[in-house]
Amino acid sequence: MSHSIIDRLFSSFSDLERAIGSAKETLEQKEYVPEQIIERVASYDNILAKQRRLAKELCTHINSGNWDEVSRHVNLINGLSAMIRDDARAILSALSGNAEIDHNEVKVC
């Protein structure tokens, strides 16, 4: 059963990678996108790479039965996913005109 969960986890990373690529393409087609938005979306690649490293470590901890580390790694992976999700929502909100962008932070109007 754990193999199926791990397979789905790695599959979700591939889905996320495609979504990030699609977001980059969409932003490139826009007339004007602030540079800080481009940089933030580009940072998602680093976050995704970190998630993949953590997932490989997670497999090691599962195989050795180190459940405290399994739990910690799952929480880290989920936290990084939440970071991307929340930032992407803020960016979408800013680009749709519902927020303004100021000094690398998105402030809702």
Side-chain angles (χ1 to χ4, degrees), residues 3-34:
H3 287 294
S4 125
I5 293 170
I6 297 300
D7 290 342
R8 287 187 308 196
L9 177 62
F10 279 97
S11 176
S12 73
F13 295 151
S14 296
D15 293 343
L16 179 56
E17 186 173 42
R18 283 189 293 277
I20 292 168
S22 177
K24 287 177 182 178
E25 288 176 17
T26 299
L27 290 175
E28 288 172 2
Q29 295 172 3
K30 298 266 184 205
E31 192 170 313
Y32 172 75
V33 177

Side-chain angles (χ1 to χ4, degrees), residues 42-103:
S43 76
Y44 297 168
D45 290 327
N46 293 330
I47 296 169
L48 179 59
K50 177 68 173 178
Q51 286 181 302
R52 283 187 165 131
R53 281 192 306 274
L54 288 167
K56 288 177 184 175
E57 292 172 14
L58 173 68
C59 292
T60 301
H61 295 303
I62 289 171
N63 290 334
S64 67
N66 188 346
W67 303 116
D68 288 339
E69 281 300 307
V70 168
S71 177
R72 188 175 83 79
H73 278 67
V74 167
N75 287 333
L76 289 170
I77 292 166
N78 287 338
L80 290 170
S81 292
M83 246 174 48
I84 291 174
R85 182 187 62 243
D86 293 347
D87 191 59
R89 283 183 184 154
I91 288 171
L92 288 173
S93 179
L95 292 177
S96 69
N98 295 330
E100 66 182 52
I101 302 169
D102 182 35
H103 298 99

